[in-house]
Amino acid sequence: MSHHDPKIADLNCGDCPIRHRAVCARCETDELHQLEAIKYYRSFQAGQPVIWSGDRMEFVASVVTGIATLTQTMEDGRRQMVGLLLPSDFVGRPGRATAAYDVTATTDLVMCCFRKKPFEELMGSTPHIAQRLLEMTLDELDAAREWMLLLGRKTAREKIASLLTIIARRNASLKLASKGGVRFDLPLTREEMADYLGLTLETVSRQISTLKREGVIVLEGKRHVIVPNLDRLLEETGDDSDGGMLN
Amino acid sequence: MSHHDPKIADLNCGDCPIRHRAVCARCETDELHQLEAIKYYRSFQAGQPVIWSGDRMEFVASVVTGIATLTQTMEDGRRQMVGLLLPSDFVGRPGRATAAYDVTATTDLVMCCFRKKPFEELMGSTPHIAQRLLEMTLDELDAAREWMLLLGRKTAREKIASLLTIIARRNASLKLASKGGVRFDLPLTREEMADYLGLTLETVSRQISTLKREGVIVLEGKRHVIVPNLDRLLEETGDDSDGGMLN
DNA sequence: CGGGTCGATTGATCTGGGTCAAGGCATCCG
DNA sequence: CGGATGCCTTGACCCAGATCAATCGACCCG
């Protein structure tokens, strides 16, 4: 059972929205077949828990459609979001039996799951899966570190501007005709945004109102945001202006 | 060049303090030889920069002795530590050309470096290196998420107690004879602790003084800490009492 | 020795964001 | 229809931690 150095191999498959084929034709069929054999889909309604921290977790998964969050909770109820999973993002840890965080569907959600055992075996025999997973994990680690800077050092206003920027970047469904504008829906409630940012929901609400009053953003209803000038918003984030030139 | 499912393969070698041998004897020599060929050591004095964010970084490395930090800085000088590297920890990202963070030696430091190119090639041909790296990266991600909870939701007192606990756990050079006590040296200045915790150095100093006044900790000089009763300190962290029962 | 530097401590004061509380506005449902 | 519920907004007030500033001790070095 030899492998032929395939160049691409994502963890999703079938109707998942991300590419998944190995380049090498001889491997491809093999792997596809194996992945197909151990995968299944699960759906969740908005607000439903996917799994609770400490629960036995016998699968790993990637998001197909919708949004899920990872949160940690202290005994007294203080909550901090520690992960935001968008389509193609991966959850679960090979080699760990129980979930370390609460995973919740914040919108209707479809996940593509792989039973843990066979997935781990497959990973052992298919080296580039581990490599692809490593890449994704390193990206997540970078995101986590950016997030740490936000939590530790940014003001409430900068936090909001940063979050809006992040969502705009990933979600820029409609670029405005006018130069440099975007519009998008907020996928999070004010409270979820607060849990993301380490703030209270009142502060989130106030800061959004301020940005609105100043014309940095325009709201249509409570959830739909229009950013007339993205650069203007970017100035408020406190980040280096040159944008993320990683890699 | 086939591999024989070795069970252990760390990235360090030679006189590095961590295990590094592959279990399978046939692989072992091979890999050791290859790792030896591309590795070299670098030493840094306390306070010296290892690399600046944005610099070209043509190696990956692991810490042999000493402590290094990863920090991010905003234009106006606000700083947030995003990584604390102790012996055996890994820095650098295969597949990225430039450093994403400032890396600084906070104590005298020896690193075991591998030139990036050959290391990546080796990783391609030696699957369990990627697997080992994945494991380590997932551990770091978990640590980062714990850290996010600390930054976003803990009080100054809880932050200090948490940091002391973390250092005590990793550094418990001397357990006290009396039940449940430990002593250790702080490897960080007050300012570095502040950058770790998202506080100012004054707040760090005040909180330490308070814990001292209350007898939770005892100081010998400014850097040496004695924790007479670790449980007492743990109660102050805000964490679940059951301790980290991961994996 | 005296002056400089670096880290740490402590005090006095200020303020950003938390807390508490009162509505507002949809949507749902009996 | 009217009450309930969920999400959001806004106001009034307060406090944990930031800011500004003075001092101390240890160490180094000319």
Side-chain angles (χ1 to χ4, degrees), chain B residues 144-165:
Chain B
R145 284 170 167 162
E146 205 67 46
W147 202 335
M148 285 170 55
L149 175 64
L150 178 148
L151 290 171
R153 295 302 187 192
K154 288 190 179 178
T155 64
R157 165 179 262 253
E158 289 169 338
K159 286 178 175 182
I160 295 286
S162 299
L163 177 54
L164 292 177
T165 305

Side-chain angles (χ1 to χ4, degrees), chain A residues 27-52:
Chain A
C27 286
E28 182 179 355
T29 29
D30 231 344
E31 283 156 24
L32 267 179
H33 181 257
Q34 290 185 52
L35 279 170
E36 290 294 331
I38 64 171
K39 89 173 190 205
Y40 58 99
Y41 292 94
R42 296 182 63 187
S43 297
F44 301 86
Q45 293 176 343
Q48 254 192 328
V50 173
I51 197 162
W52 296 111

Side-chain angles (χ1 to χ4, degrees), chain A:
Chain A
M1 211 232 299
S2 60
H3 287 281
H4 313 281
D5 189 27
K7 297 294 182 302
I8 300 172
D10 273 301
L11 300 162
N12 246 324
C13 45
D15 37 328
C16 303
I18 56 172
R19 72 194 195 290
H20 68 286
R21 259 169 254 87
V23 159
C24 166
R26 285 171 50 211
C27 286
E28 182 179 355
T29 29
D30 231 344
E31 283 156 24
L32 267 179
H33 181 257
Q34 290 185 52
L35 279 170
E36 290 294 331
I38 64 171
K39 89 173 190 205
Y40 58 99
Y41 292 94
R42 296 182 63 187
S43 297
F44 301 86
Q45 293 176 343
Q48 254 192 328
V50 173
I51 197 162
W52 296 111
S53 170
D55 285 357
R56 194 150 189 82
M57 181 168 179
E58 75 295 338
F59 61 92
V60 296
S62 78
V63 175
V64 180
T65 59
I67 295 182
T69 61
L70 306 187
T71 56
Q72 280 190 305
T73 309
M74 299 171 67
E75 308 97 281
D76 63 5
R78 281 175 282 173
R79 286 161 49 86
Q80 176 63 52
M81 196 184 296
V82 296
L84 184 61
L85 301 176
L86 303 186
S88 93
D89 284 340
F90 188 80
V91 226
R93 163 153 192 173
R96 170 178 300 160
T98 60
Y101 315 100
D102 300 337
V103 182
T104 314
T106 54
T107 65
D108 288 345
L109 179 70
V110 178
M111 302 186 73
C112 176
C113 304
F114 304 92
R115 284 182 298 118
K116 178 106 56 73
K117 259 296 170 35
F119 183 83
E120 281 166 9
E121 282 157 16
L122 186 57
M123 214 175 73
S125 67
T126 314
H128 57 276
I129 289 187
Q131 284 179 45
R132 174 75 185 117
L133 214 43
L134 175 59
E135 238 177 85
M136 294 172 72
T137 307
L138 285 165
D139 284 340
E140 263 191 284
L141 188 55
D142 281 333
R145 284 171 167 163
E146 206 68 46
W147 201 336
M148 285 170 56
L149 175 64
L150 178 149
L151 290 171
R153 294 304 187 191
K154 288 189 178 179
T155 65
R157 165 180 262 251
E158 289 169 338
K159 286 178 174 181
I160 295 287
S162 299
L163 178 54
L164 292 177
T165 305
I166 289 167
I167 295 172
R169 257 207 275 272
R170 292 237 233 170
N171 215 346
S173 45
L174 288 190
K175 303 210 189 282
L176 293 185
S178 58
K179 55 137 197 162
V182 269
R183 56 162 69 220
F184 53 88
D185 278 308
L186 289 174
L188 304 175
T189 66
R190 299 291 186 262
E191 186 173 23
E192 286 163 341
M193 293 174 73
D195 287 341
Y196 186 110
L197 299 172
L199 297 171
T200 60
L201 68 93
E202 293 94 329
T203 300
V204 170
S205 181
R206 273 188 255 271
Q207 292 297 335
I208 289 180
S209 297
T210 309
L211 289 176
K212 186 172 77 176
R213 200 173 319 119
E214 296 174 0
V216 180
I217 60 174
V218 178
L219 287 191
E220 253 171 30
K222 317 235 163 229
R223 293 299 197 89
H224 192 80
V225 179
I226 301 170
V227 183
N229 181 350
L230 194 50
D231 289 335
R232 175 78 194 287
L233 182 62
L234 259 162
E235 282 167 25
E236 302 291 343
T237 62
D239 294 331
D240 285 352
S241 42
D242 58 23
M245 34 104 273
L246 297 175
N247 196 8

Side-chain angles (χ1 to χ4, degrees), chain B residues 156 200 202-203 206:
Chain B
T200 59
E202 292 95 330
T203 299
R206 274 187 254 269

Side-chain angles (χ1 to χ4, degrees), chain B residues 59-183:
Chain B
F59 60 91
V60 296
S62 79
V63 175
V64 180
T65 59
I67 294 181
T69 60
L70 307 187
T71 57
Q72 280 189 306
T73 309
M74 300 170 68
E75 308 98 281
D76 62 4
R78 281 175 281 174
R79 286 161 49 86
Q80 176 63 52
M81 196 183 296
V82 296
L84 184 61
L85 301 176
L86 303 186
S88 93
D89 284 340
F90 189 80
V91 225
R93 164 155 190 173
R96 170 178 300 158
T98 61
Y101 315 101
D102 299 336
V103 182
T104 314
T106 55
T107 65
D108 287 345
L109 178 70
V110 178
M111 302 185 73
C112 177
C113 304
F114 304 93
R115 284 182 298 120
K116 178 108 53 77
K117 260 294 172 35
F119 183 83
E120 282 166 9
E121 282 157 17
L122 186 58
M123 215 175 74
S125 66
T126 314
H128 59 273
I129 290 188
Q131 284 179 43
R132 175 75 184 116
L133 214 43
L134 175 59
E135 237 178 86
M136 294 171 72
T137 307
L138 284 165
D139 284 340
E140 264 191 281
L141 189 56
D142 281 332
R145 284 170 167 162
E146 205 67 46
W147 202 335
M148 285 170 55
L149 175 64
L150 178 148
L151 290 171
R153 295 302 187 192
K154 288 190 179 178
T155 64
R157 165 179 262 253
E158 289 169 338
K159 286 178 175 182
I160 295 286
S162 299
L163 177 54
L164 292 177
T165 305
I166 289 168
I167 296 174
R169 256 207 274 271
R170 294 237 232 168
N171 215 346
S173 45
L174 288 190
K175 303 213 190 284
L176 292 186
S178 58
K179 55 138 196 163
V182 268
R183 57 162 68 220

